[in-house]
Amino acid sequence: MSSLRATFTVSFAAVAAAVTVLVGFLSYDAAARLVRVDQQTVFAEVVQDLRDQVREHPLQTSDFASSDPDHDGPLDDIIRPSRTDVQVLGPGGAIVDRGSPPLPVNRHDRAIADDGGAGRLEEDRDVDVAGDRYRLATVSLGGGRGAVQVAQQFSDTEDLLRELQQRTVLLVGAVVIAAGLFGWWLARRITRRLVRLAGAAEDVARTGRLGIQVPVTGYDEVARLGRSFDRMLGRLAQSEEDQRRLVQDAGHELRTPLTSLRTNISMLRRIDELPPDAREELVADLALESRELTDLVNELVALAAGQSDTEPVRRLDLAELAEDVAIVARRRTAREITVHVTGDTAVDGRPTALQRAVSNLVENAAKFDRGGKSPIEVVVAGPAQGTDGAQSGDSGGGTDMTARPGPVRVEVLDRGPGIGDDDLVRVFDRFYRAADARSLPGSGLGLSIVREVATAHGGTPFAFHRKGGGTVIGFTVES
Protein backbone atom coordinates (compact mmCIF):
# COMPACT_ATOMS: atom_id res chain seq x y z
CA MET A 1 0.00 0.00 0.00
CA SER A 2 2.94 2.30 0.66
CA SER A 3 4.03 1.61 -2.91
CA LEU A 4 0.60 2.63 -4.18
CA ARG A 5 0.74 5.79 -2.12
CA ALA A 6 4.23 6.61 -3.41
CA THR A 7 3.19 5.88 -6.98
CA PHE A 8 0.17 8.14 -6.67
CA THR A 9 2.27 10.90 -5.11
CA VAL A 10 5.01 10.71 -7.75
CA SER A 11 2.45 10.54 -10.56
CA PHE A 12 0.57 13.56 -9.24
CA ALA A 13 3.80 15.53 -8.83
CA ALA A 14 5.02 14.48 -12.29
CA VAL A 15 1.81 15.62 -13.96
CA ALA A 16 1.89 18.90 -12.06
CA ALA A 17 5.55 19.38 -12.95
CA ALA A 18 4.96 18.68 -16.63
CA VAL A 19 2.05 21.11 -16.78
CA THR A 20 3.93 23.78 -14.82
CA VAL A 21 7.09 23.42 -16.92
CA LEU A 22 5.10 23.62 -20.13
CA VAL A 23 3.13 26.67 -19.00
CA GLY A 24 6.27 28.32 -17.58
CA PHE A 25 8.29 27.71 -20.73
CA LEU A 26 5.55 28.99 -23.01
CA SER A 27 4.98 32.03 -20.79
CA TYR A 28 8.68 32.85 -20.56
CA ASP A 29 9.21 32.34 -24.26
CA ALA A 30 6.28 34.57 -25.12
CA ALA A 31 7.39 37.30 -22.66
CA ALA A 32 11.03 37.18 -23.83
CA ARG A 33 10.04 37.34 -27.49
CA LEU A 34 7.68 40.24 -26.80
CA VAL A 35 10.33 42.23 -24.89
CA ARG A 36 13.02 41.61 -27.48
CA VAL A 37 10.79 42.44 -30.40
CA ASP A 38 9.58 45.58 -28.65
CA GLN A 39 13.14 46.79 -27.99
CA GLN A 40 14.21 46.01 -31.51
CA THR A 41 11.20 47.85 -32.90
CA VAL A 42 11.90 50.93 -30.78
CA PHE A 43 15.57 50.92 -31.81
CA ALA A 44 14.65 50.58 -35.48
CA GLU A 45 12.24 53.48 -35.17
CA VAL A 46 14.90 55.68 -33.54
CA VAL A 47 17.40 54.90 -36.29
CA GLN A 48 14.80 55.53 -38.97
CA ASP A 49 13.85 58.89 -37.38
CA LEU A 50 17.52 59.86 -37.32
CA ARG A 51 17.91 59.00 -41.00
CA ASP A 52 14.83 61.05 -41.85
CA GLN A 53 16.18 64.03 -39.93
CA VAL A 54 19.56 64.11 -41.59
CA ARG A 55 17.95 63.74 -45.01
CA GLU A 56 15.49 66.57 -44.48
CA HIS A 57 17.81 68.98 -42.64
CA PRO A 58 21.53 69.18 -43.27
CA LEU A 59 22.93 68.67 -39.75
CA GLN A 60 26.39 69.28 -38.40
CA THR A 61 28.21 67.26 -35.78
CA SER A 62 27.76 70.20 -33.42
CA ASP A 63 23.99 69.73 -33.58
CA PHE A 64 24.47 66.47 -31.68
CA ALA A 65 26.64 67.95 -28.95
CA SER A 66 25.86 66.62 -25.51
CA SER A 67 26.52 70.08 -24.04
CA ASP A 68 23.27 71.52 -25.48
CA PRO A 69 21.94 73.58 -22.52
CA ASP A 70 18.34 73.64 -23.77
CA HIS A 71 18.13 69.88 -24.44
CA ASP A 72 16.10 70.60 -27.53
CA GLY A 73 18.47 69.29 -30.15
CA PRO A 74 18.28 66.09 -32.21
CA LEU A 75 20.43 64.31 -29.64
CA ASP A 76 17.70 64.54 -27.03
CA ASP A 77 15.11 63.42 -29.59
CA ILE A 78 17.14 60.23 -29.98
CA ILE A 79 17.86 59.56 -26.30
CA ARG A 80 14.41 60.23 -24.77
CA PRO A 81 12.26 57.52 -26.37
CA SER A 82 14.75 54.67 -26.27
CA ARG A 83 17.36 55.49 -23.62
CA THR A 84 20.06 55.06 -26.19
CA ASP A 85 23.73 55.98 -26.15
CA VAL A 86 24.88 58.38 -28.89
CA GLN A 87 28.42 59.00 -30.14
CA VAL A 88 29.25 61.59 -32.83
CA LEU A 89 31.96 60.96 -35.42
CA GLY A 90 33.63 63.64 -37.48
CA PRO A 91 35.18 63.29 -40.94
CA GLY A 92 37.37 60.23 -41.21
CA GLY A 93 35.60 58.62 -38.28
CA ALA A 94 37.25 60.75 -35.62
CA ILE A 95 35.28 60.86 -32.39
CA VAL A 96 33.85 64.37 -31.93
CA ASP A 97 31.54 63.72 -29.00
CA ARG A 98 32.32 60.56 -27.09
CA GLY A 99 29.48 58.44 -25.98
CA SER A 100 28.95 57.22 -22.44
CA PRO A 101 30.36 54.68 -22.51
CA PRO A 102 32.52 55.17 -25.59
CA LEU A 103 31.36 53.13 -28.56
CA PRO A 104 33.73 51.19 -30.81
CA VAL A 105 34.50 52.56 -34.29
CA ASN A 106 35.57 50.28 -37.13
CA ARG A 107 36.43 50.85 -40.77
CA HIS A 108 32.81 50.56 -41.84
CA ASP A 109 31.85 53.32 -39.44
CA ARG A 110 34.66 55.52 -40.79
CA ALA A 111 33.51 54.86 -44.34
CA ILE A 112 29.95 55.90 -43.39
CA ALA A 113 31.35 59.09 -41.79
CA ASP A 114 33.08 60.03 -45.07
CA ASP A 115 30.05 59.07 -47.17
CA GLY A 116 28.62 61.88 -49.26
CA GLY A 117 24.99 60.76 -48.95
CA ALA A 118 22.94 61.78 -45.95
CA GLY A 119 21.14 59.05 -44.02
CA ARG A 120 23.31 56.19 -45.19
CA LEU A 121 23.18 53.32 -42.67
CA GLU A 122 25.72 50.79 -41.51
CA GLU A 123 23.70 47.67 -40.70
CA ASP A 124 22.99 46.99 -37.04
CA ARG A 125 25.53 44.90 -35.22
CA ASP A 126 25.96 43.65 -31.66
CA VAL A 127 29.03 44.87 -29.79
CA ASP A 128 30.53 44.47 -26.33
CA VAL A 129 31.09 47.76 -24.50
CA ALA A 130 32.55 47.75 -21.00
CA GLY A 131 31.24 44.25 -20.42
CA ASP A 132 27.70 45.00 -21.65
CA ARG A 133 26.01 44.05 -24.86
CA TYR A 134 24.80 46.80 -27.22
CA ARG A 135 23.04 46.98 -30.54
CA LEU A 136 24.88 49.57 -32.68
CA ALA A 137 23.93 51.45 -35.85
CA THR A 138 25.86 54.24 -37.67
CA VAL A 139 24.04 56.89 -39.76
CA SER A 140 25.94 59.26 -42.10
CA LEU A 141 25.35 63.04 -41.97
CA GLY A 142 26.24 63.37 -45.65
CA GLY A 143 28.82 65.44 -47.51
CA GLY A 144 31.65 63.77 -45.61
CA ARG A 145 30.71 65.73 -42.48
CA GLY A 146 30.74 62.70 -40.24
CA ALA A 147 28.23 60.26 -38.77
CA VAL A 148 26.15 59.55 -35.68
CA GLN A 149 26.41 56.23 -33.85
CA VAL A 150 23.31 55.08 -31.99
CA ALA A 151 23.60 52.19 -29.51
CA GLN A 152 20.96 50.50 -27.44
CA GLN A 153 21.97 48.39 -24.45
CA PHE A 154 20.16 45.07 -24.28
CA SER A 155 22.23 43.27 -21.65
CA ASP A 156 19.97 44.77 -18.97
CA THR A 157 17.01 43.29 -20.75
CA GLU A 158 18.74 39.92 -20.95
CA ASP A 159 19.58 40.14 -17.26
CA LEU A 160 15.93 40.85 -16.57
CA LEU A 161 14.89 37.90 -18.71
CA ARG A 162 17.43 35.66 -16.96
CA GLU A 163 16.01 36.74 -13.62
CA LEU A 164 12.54 35.99 -14.94
CA GLN A 165 13.81 32.60 -16.07
CA GLN A 166 15.26 31.86 -12.64
CA ARG A 167 12.06 32.88 -10.96
CA THR A 168 10.11 30.67 -13.34
CA VAL A 169 12.36 27.74 -12.45
CA LEU A 170 11.92 28.46 -8.75
CA LEU A 171 8.17 28.71 -9.24
CA VAL A 172 8.14 25.41 -11.10
CA GLY A 173 10.13 23.79 -8.30
CA ALA A 174 7.78 25.21 -5.67
CA VAL A 175 4.75 24.00 -7.61
CA VAL A 176 6.29 20.52 -7.96
CA ILE A 177 7.01 20.33 -4.23
CA ALA A 178 3.54 21.63 -3.40
CA ALA A 179 2.01 19.16 -5.86
CA GLY A 180 4.03 16.35 -4.31
CA LEU A 181 2.88 17.27 -0.81
CA PHE A 182 -0.71 17.62 -1.94
CA GLY A 183 -0.48 14.36 -3.87
CA TRP A 184 0.92 12.62 -0.79
CA TRP A 185 -1.91 14.01 1.34
CA LEU A 186 -4.51 13.07 -1.24
CA ALA A 187 -3.00 9.59 -1.74
CA ARG A 188 -2.95 9.08 2.03
CA ARG A 189 -6.57 10.15 2.25
CA ILE A 190 -7.61 7.88 -0.63
CA THR A 191 -5.56 4.85 0.38
CA ARG A 192 -6.31 5.09 4.10
CA ARG A 193 -9.41 2.93 3.70
CA LEU A 194 -7.53 0.58 1.38
CA VAL A 195 -4.86 0.24 4.07
CA ARG A 196 -7.53 -0.71 6.60
CA LEU A 197 -9.08 -3.12 4.11
CA ALA A 198 -5.68 -4.69 3.39
CA GLY A 199 -5.07 -4.95 7.14
CA ALA A 200 -8.36 -6.78 7.59
CA ALA A 201 -7.47 -9.18 4.76
CA GLU A 202 -4.05 -9.79 6.31
CA ASP A 203 -5.67 -10.46 9.70
CA VAL A 204 -7.96 -13.02 8.06
CA ALA A 205 -5.00 -14.67 6.32
CA ARG A 206 -2.92 -14.67 9.52
CA THR A 207 -5.55 -15.78 12.05
CA GLY A 208 -8.00 -17.67 9.84
CA ARG A 209 -10.88 -15.90 11.60
CA LEU A 210 -13.62 -14.84 9.20
CA GLY A 211 -15.60 -12.82 11.72
CA ILE A 212 -13.33 -9.77 11.50
CA GLN A 213 -15.30 -6.56 11.09
CA VAL A 214 -14.30 -4.60 8.00
CA PRO A 215 -14.48 -0.81 8.51
CA VAL A 216 -16.48 0.75 5.68
CA THR A 217 -17.22 4.45 5.17
CA GLY A 218 -18.37 6.48 2.19
CA TYR A 219 -20.13 5.54 -1.01
CA ASP A 220 -17.35 5.47 -3.62
CA GLU A 221 -15.62 2.52 -5.28
CA VAL A 222 -13.40 1.89 -2.24
CA ALA A 223 -16.48 1.78 -0.01
CA ARG A 224 -18.17 -0.63 -2.43
CA LEU A 225 -15.07 -2.82 -2.35
CA GLY A 226 -15.12 -2.77 1.44
CA ARG A 227 -18.80 -3.70 1.61
CA SER A 228 -18.31 -6.49 -0.92
CA PHE A 229 -15.35 -7.80 1.07
CA ASP A 230 -17.38 -7.61 4.27
CA ARG A 231 -20.28 -9.51 2.68
CA MET A 232 -17.86 -12.07 1.29
CA LEU A 233 -16.36 -12.63 4.73
CA GLY A 234 -19.87 -12.91 6.16
CA ARG A 235 -20.85 -15.56 3.65
CA LEU A 236 -17.60 -17.45 4.16
CA ALA A 237 -18.09 -17.32 7.92
CA GLN A 238 -21.66 -18.56 7.53
CA SER A 239 -20.49 -21.32 5.21
CA GLU A 240 -17.79 -22.31 7.68
CA GLU A 241 -20.32 -22.33 10.51
CA ASP A 242 -22.73 -24.43 8.43
CA GLN A 243 -19.99 -26.91 7.66
CA ARG A 244 -18.97 -27.09 11.31
CA ARG A 245 -22.55 -27.64 12.41
CA LEU A 246 -23.08 -30.23 9.69
CA VAL A 247 -20.02 -32.16 10.79
CA GLN A 248 -21.01 -31.94 14.47
CA ASP A 249 -24.61 -32.92 13.82
CA ALA A 250 -23.61 -35.71 11.47
CA GLY A 251 -21.14 -37.08 13.99
CA HIS A 252 -23.79 -36.96 16.67
CA GLU A 253 -26.43 -38.67 14.54
CA LEU A 254 -24.05 -41.31 13.23
CA ARG A 255 -23.08 -42.45 16.71
CA THR A 256 -26.47 -44.04 17.46
CA PRO A 257 -26.76 -46.36 14.42
CA LEU A 258 -23.05 -47.17 14.55
CA THR A 259 -23.27 -48.07 18.24
CA SER A 260 -26.31 -50.24 17.57
CA LEU A 261 -24.56 -51.89 14.64
CA ARG A 262 -21.48 -52.62 16.74
CA THR A 263 -23.66 -54.15 19.44
CA ASN A 264 -25.53 -56.34 17.00
CA ILE A 265 -22.33 -57.31 15.19
CA SER A 266 -20.84 -58.41 18.50
CA MET A 267 -23.90 -60.57 18.97
CA LEU A 268 -23.22 -62.27 15.64
CA ARG A 269 -20.32 -64.11 17.26
CA ARG A 270 -22.88 -65.94 19.43
CA ILE A 271 -25.58 -66.26 16.77
CA ASP A 272 -25.40 -70.05 16.96
CA GLU A 273 -26.26 -69.85 20.65
CA LEU A 274 -29.36 -67.67 20.05
CA PRO A 275 -32.83 -69.11 19.57
CA PRO A 276 -34.32 -68.87 16.05
CA ASP A 277 -36.60 -65.93 16.94
CA ALA A 278 -33.69 -63.96 18.39
CA ARG A 279 -31.65 -64.71 15.27
CA GLU A 280 -34.36 -63.38 12.97
CA GLU A 281 -34.79 -60.29 15.13
CA LEU A 282 -31.03 -59.68 15.14
CA VAL A 283 -30.80 -60.00 11.34
CA ALA A 284 -33.84 -57.74 10.90
CA ASP A 285 -32.30 -55.14 13.20
CA LEU A 286 -29.04 -55.26 11.25
CA ALA A 287 -30.88 -54.81 7.96
CA LEU A 288 -32.96 -51.94 9.35
CA GLU A 289 -30.01 -50.15 10.90
CA SER A 290 -27.88 -50.57 7.80
CA ARG A 291 -30.70 -49.08 5.69
CA GLU A 292 -31.07 -46.18 8.13
CA LEU A 293 -27.32 -45.64 8.12
CA THR A 294 -27.31 -45.73 4.30
CA ASP A 295 -30.21 -43.24 4.16
CA LEU A 296 -28.49 -40.98 6.68
CA VAL A 297 -25.22 -40.98 4.72
CA ASN A 298 -27.07 -40.35 1.44
CA GLU A 299 -28.96 -37.42 2.92
CA LEU A 300 -25.79 -36.02 4.45
CA VAL A 301 -24.11 -36.20 1.04
CA ALA A 302 -27.15 -34.58 -0.58
CA LEU A 303 -27.21 -31.84 2.04
CA ALA A 304 -23.48 -31.15 1.70
CA ALA A 305 -23.73 -31.18 -2.09
CA GLY A 306 -26.64 -28.77 -1.92
CA GLN A 307 -24.43 -26.18 -0.21
CA SER A 308 -22.01 -26.14 -3.16
CA ASP A 309 -24.20 -27.45 -5.97
CA THR A 310 -22.62 -27.07 -9.39
CA GLU A 311 -25.65 -28.36 -11.32
CA PRO A 312 -26.46 -25.81 -14.05
CA VAL A 313 -29.64 -23.79 -13.78
CA ARG A 314 -32.13 -24.28 -16.61
CA ARG A 315 -35.76 -23.53 -17.40
CA LEU A 316 -38.08 -26.31 -16.25
CA ASP A 317 -41.74 -26.96 -15.50
CA LEU A 318 -42.21 -27.56 -11.78
CA ALA A 319 -45.58 -29.23 -12.39
CA GLU A 320 -44.01 -31.86 -14.64
CA LEU A 321 -41.30 -32.45 -12.08
CA ALA A 322 -43.93 -32.92 -9.33
CA GLU A 323 -45.82 -35.38 -11.53
CA ASP A 324 -42.64 -37.43 -12.04
CA VAL A 325 -42.06 -37.47 -8.27
CA ALA A 326 -45.67 -38.59 -7.70
CA ILE A 327 -45.30 -41.48 -10.16
CA VAL A 328 -42.23 -42.80 -8.34
CA ALA A 329 -43.83 -42.29 -4.92
CA ARG A 330 -46.98 -44.20 -5.95
CA ARG A 331 -44.86 -47.13 -6.99
CA ARG A 332 -42.81 -47.09 -3.77
CA THR A 333 -45.59 -46.50 -1.25
CA ALA A 334 -48.68 -47.85 -3.03
CA ARG A 335 -50.44 -44.68 -1.91
CA GLU A 336 -52.87 -42.51 -3.83
CA ILE A 337 -51.05 -39.28 -4.73
CA THR A 338 -52.78 -36.56 -6.71
CA VAL A 339 -51.17 -33.55 -8.38
CA HIS A 340 -53.08 -30.26 -8.85
CA VAL A 341 -51.59 -27.66 -11.18
CA THR A 342 -52.65 -24.09 -11.80
CA GLY A 343 -51.01 -21.09 -13.44
CA ASP A 344 -47.60 -20.85 -15.04
CA THR A 345 -45.28 -23.24 -13.20
CA ALA A 346 -42.13 -22.65 -15.26
CA VAL A 347 -39.08 -21.67 -13.18
CA ASP A 348 -35.33 -21.33 -13.52
CA GLY A 349 -33.77 -23.93 -11.25
CA ARG A 350 -31.66 -27.02 -10.73
CA PRO A 351 -33.78 -30.05 -11.64
CA THR A 352 -32.09 -32.60 -9.38
CA ALA A 353 -32.24 -30.38 -6.30
CA LEU A 354 -35.90 -29.44 -6.85
CA GLN A 355 -36.85 -33.05 -7.49
CA ARG A 356 -35.13 -34.04 -4.26
CA ALA A 357 -37.05 -31.39 -2.32
CA VAL A 358 -40.46 -32.40 -3.69
CA SER A 359 -39.64 -36.09 -3.20
CA ASN A 360 -38.68 -35.47 0.44
CA LEU A 361 -42.02 -33.73 1.08
CA VAL A 362 -44.05 -36.56 -0.50
CA GLU A 363 -42.09 -39.31 1.27
CA ASN A 364 -42.39 -37.44 4.55
CA ALA A 365 -46.20 -37.24 4.12
CA ALA A 366 -46.44 -40.94 3.25
CA LYS A 367 -44.32 -41.91 6.25
CA PHE A 368 -46.35 -39.99 8.81
CA ASP A 369 -49.81 -40.59 7.29
CA ARG A 370 -49.74 -44.22 8.34
CA GLY A 371 -53.49 -44.76 7.97
CA GLY A 372 -53.25 -44.31 4.24
CA LYS A 373 -56.98 -43.75 3.71
CA SER A 374 -56.85 -40.22 2.29
CA PRO A 375 -54.84 -39.30 -0.80
CA ILE A 376 -51.74 -37.21 -0.52
CA GLU A 377 -52.24 -34.02 -2.49
CA VAL A 378 -49.46 -32.15 -4.30
CA VAL A 379 -50.45 -28.62 -5.34
CA VAL A 380 -48.24 -26.64 -7.73
CA ALA A 381 -49.48 -23.05 -8.21
CA GLY A 382 -47.87 -20.57 -10.57
CA PRO A 383 -47.91 -16.74 -10.49
CA ALA A 384 -51.09 -16.37 -12.54
CA GLN A 385 -53.13 -18.34 -10.05
CA GLY A 386 -52.18 -19.84 -6.74
CA THR A 387 -53.41 -21.32 -3.55
CA ASP A 388 -54.66 -18.70 -1.18
CA GLY A 389 -53.31 -18.66 2.32
CA ALA A 390 -56.75 -19.54 3.64
CA GLN A 391 -56.91 -22.50 1.29
CA SER A 392 -53.80 -23.87 2.82
CA GLY A 393 -55.89 -24.57 5.86
CA ASP A 394 -58.02 -26.74 3.48
CA SER A 395 -61.52 -25.61 4.34
CA GLY A 396 -63.68 -28.38 2.92
CA GLY A 397 -60.70 -30.32 1.57
CA GLY A 398 -60.68 -28.45 -1.74
CA THR A 399 -58.38 -25.90 -3.28
CA ASP A 400 -59.48 -22.26 -3.37
CA MET A 401 -57.76 -20.84 -6.45
CA THR A 402 -57.42 -17.07 -6.42
CA ALA A 403 -55.55 -14.79 -8.79
CA ARG A 404 -52.32 -13.85 -7.11
CA PRO A 405 -49.00 -12.74 -8.55
CA GLY A 406 -45.91 -14.21 -6.94
CA PRO A 407 -43.50 -17.15 -7.00
CA VAL A 408 -44.37 -20.73 -7.86
CA ARG A 409 -45.67 -22.49 -4.77
CA VAL A 410 -45.41 -26.23 -4.05
CA GLU A 411 -47.60 -27.69 -1.30
CA VAL A 412 -47.97 -31.25 -0.06
CA LEU A 413 -51.17 -31.90 1.94
CA ASP A 414 -51.74 -35.01 4.05
CA ARG A 415 -54.21 -36.30 6.66
CA GLY A 416 -51.61 -37.59 9.06
CA PRO A 417 -51.40 -36.92 12.81
CA GLY A 418 -50.14 -33.39 12.15
CA ILE A 419 -47.28 -31.47 13.73
CA GLY A 420 -47.37 -29.89 17.16
CA ASP A 421 -47.28 -26.11 17.48
CA ASP A 422 -43.86 -26.21 19.14
CA ASP A 423 -42.50 -28.44 16.40
CA LEU A 424 -43.80 -26.37 13.45
CA VAL A 425 -41.07 -23.75 13.84
CA ARG A 426 -38.32 -26.38 14.01
CA VAL A 427 -39.26 -29.02 11.48
CA PHE A 428 -36.81 -27.59 8.93
CA ASP A 429 -33.84 -27.71 11.32
CA ARG A 430 -31.19 -30.32 10.66
CA PHE A 431 -31.63 -33.62 12.48
CA TYR A 432 -34.68 -32.32 14.31
CA ARG A 433 -37.34 -34.93 14.95
CA ALA A 434 -40.53 -34.47 16.93
CA ALA A 435 -40.91 -36.61 20.02
CA ASP A 436 -43.70 -38.77 18.54
CA ALA A 437 -41.66 -39.35 15.35
CA ARG A 438 -38.44 -40.58 16.90
CA SER A 439 -39.61 -44.17 16.79
CA LEU A 440 -40.09 -43.94 13.03
CA PRO A 441 -37.26 -44.45 10.52
CA GLY A 442 -35.56 -41.35 9.26
CA SER A 443 -32.62 -39.05 9.87
CA GLY A 444 -34.25 -35.67 10.41
CA LEU A 445 -32.50 -34.28 7.33
CA GLY A 446 -35.25 -34.48 4.71
CA LEU A 447 -36.96 -31.18 5.52
CA SER A 448 -33.67 -29.40 6.11
CA ILE A 449 -32.77 -30.32 2.52
CA VAL A 450 -36.09 -28.80 1.44
CA ARG A 451 -35.14 -25.57 3.21
CA GLU A 452 -31.70 -25.52 1.59
CA VAL A 453 -33.18 -26.05 -1.89
CA ALA A 454 -35.88 -23.41 -1.39
CA THR A 455 -33.36 -20.83 -0.11
CA ALA A 456 -30.99 -21.57 -3.01
CA HIS A 457 -33.87 -20.84 -5.43
CA GLY A 458 -34.89 -17.56 -3.81
CA GLY A 459 -37.86 -19.04 -1.95
CA THR A 460 -38.83 -20.04 1.57
CA PRO A 461 -40.16 -23.23 3.19
CA PHE A 462 -43.41 -23.25 5.19
CA ALA A 463 -45.48 -25.63 7.30
CA PHE A 464 -48.86 -25.22 9.04
CA HIS A 465 -51.86 -27.18 10.20
CA ARG A 466 -54.41 -28.40 7.71
CA LYS A 467 -58.01 -27.77 8.58
CA GLY A 468 -59.67 -31.07 9.37
CA GLY A 469 -56.41 -32.70 10.41
CA GLY A 470 -53.04 -33.22 8.90
CA THR A 471 -50.34 -30.86 7.69
CA VAL A 472 -49.64 -28.55 4.77
CA ILE A 473 -45.94 -28.33 4.11
CA GLY A 474 -44.03 -26.98 1.12
CA PHE A 475 -41.85 -24.26 -0.31
CA THR A 476 -41.79 -21.46 -2.88
CA VAL A 477 -39.51 -20.92 -5.86
CA GLU A 478 -38.94 -17.60 -7.62
CA SER A 479 -40.25 -17.82 -11.17
Side-chain angles (χ1 to χ4, degrees), residues 20 166-176:
T20 306
Q166 293 173 356
R167 292 188 179 185
T168 302
V169 172
L170 292 176
L171 178 62
V172 169
V175 170
V176 170

Side-chain angles (χ1 to χ4, degrees), residues 319 322-323 337-342 345 375-381 387 391 397-399 401 409 411 413:
E323 186 62 48
I337 301 173
T338 62
V339 179
H340 304 284
V341 181
T342 180
T345 58
I376 296 173
E377 298 180 38
V378 181
V379 179
V380 184
T387 57
Q391 173 273 334
T399 301
M401 302 299 178
R409 185 181 179 95
E411 293 181 348
L413 300 84

Side-chain angles (χ1 to χ4, degrees), residues 241-278:
E241 176 64 18
D242 291 342
Q243 291 178 1
R244 185 184 63 81
R245 286 178 51 203
L246 179 61
V247 171
Q248 290 178 348
D249 293 343
H252 175 74
E253 292 297 322
L254 286 170
R255 286 192 189 98
T256 300
L258 288 174
T259 301
S260 180
L261 278 174
R262 282 198 304 268
T263 302
N264 289 329
I265 290 172
S266 66
M267 293 293 294
L268 287 175
R269 298 174 182 173
R270 301 168 49 208
I271 193 170
D272 293 336
E273 304 174 8
L274 299 177
D277 292 342

Side-chain angles (χ1 to χ4, degrees), residues 106-259:
N106 61 16
R107 59 186 182 85
H108 298 289
D109 298 325
R110 296 186 184 93
I112 288 293
D114 290 335
D115 197 291
R120 295 290 179 86
L121 173 66
E122 170 64 22
E123 292 296 331
D124 299 355
R125 70 178 187 273
D126 295 339
V127 295
D128 287 325
V129 180
D132 293 324
R133 296 290 294 172
Y134 282 79
R135 182 176 293 108
L136 176 64
T138 304
V139 178
S140 66
L141 296 179
R145 295 191 301 272
V148 176
Q149 289 183 305
V150 181
Q152 182 186 51
Q153 182 180 359
F154 61 85
S155 58
D156 289 343
T157 302
E158 294 300 323
D159 292 341
L160 177 64
L161 292 178
R162 277 193 295 271
E163 184 177 356
L164 177 61
Q165 187 181 45
Q166 293 173 356
R167 292 188 179 185
T168 302
V169 172
L170 292 176
L171 178 62
V172 169
V175 170
V176 170
I177 294 174
L181 294 175
F182 180 75
W184 177 84
W185 173 83
L186 187 61
R188 185 171 179 271
R189 181 179 179 85
I190 292 175
T191 59
R192 182 167 49 195
R193 290 175 294 168
L194 289 176
V195 170
R196 291 200 298 265
L197 187 59
E202 290 169 354
D203 289 342
V204 172
R206 183 178 64 256
T207 63
R209 293 185 295 108
L210 299 175
I212 294 177
Q213 186 67 29
V214 179
V216 179
T217 57
Y219 300 94
D220 56 5
E221 287 77 4
V222 177
R224 288 172 54 194
L225 176 62
R227 291 189 183 91
S228 298
F229 185 69
D230 191 46
R231 286 194 296 269
M232 181 189 69
L233 287 181
R235 294 192 65 176
L236 288 175
Q238 183 62 44
S239 177
E240 185 182 54
E241 176 64 18
D242 291 342
Q243 291 178 1
R244 185 184 63 81
R245 286 178 51 203
L246 179 61
V247 171
Q248 290 178 348
D249 293 343
H252 175 74
E253 292 297 322
L254 286 170
R255 286 192 189 98
T256 300
L258 288 174
T259 301

Side-chain angles (χ1 to χ4, degrees), residues 2-26:
S2 299
S3 177
L4 177 62
R5 184 178 299 172
T7 301
F8 189 90
T9 302
V10 171
S11 300
F12 194 90
V15 172
V19 173
T20 306
V21 168
L22 180 62
V23 172
F25 172 78
L26 294 177

Side-chain angles (χ1 to χ4, degrees), residues 44-54:
E45 291 176 352
V46 168
V47 173
Q48 186 61 40
D49 289 343
L50 175 61
R51 295 178 69 190
D52 293 340
Q53 281 185 331
V54 298

Side-chain angles (χ1 to χ4, degrees), residues 21-39:
V21 168
L22 180 62
V23 172
F25 172 78
L26 294 177
S27 300
Y28 170 79
D29 185 67
R33 185 180 295 109
L34 183 63
V35 170
R36 290 185 178 116
V37 169
D38 181 68
Q39 279 198 331

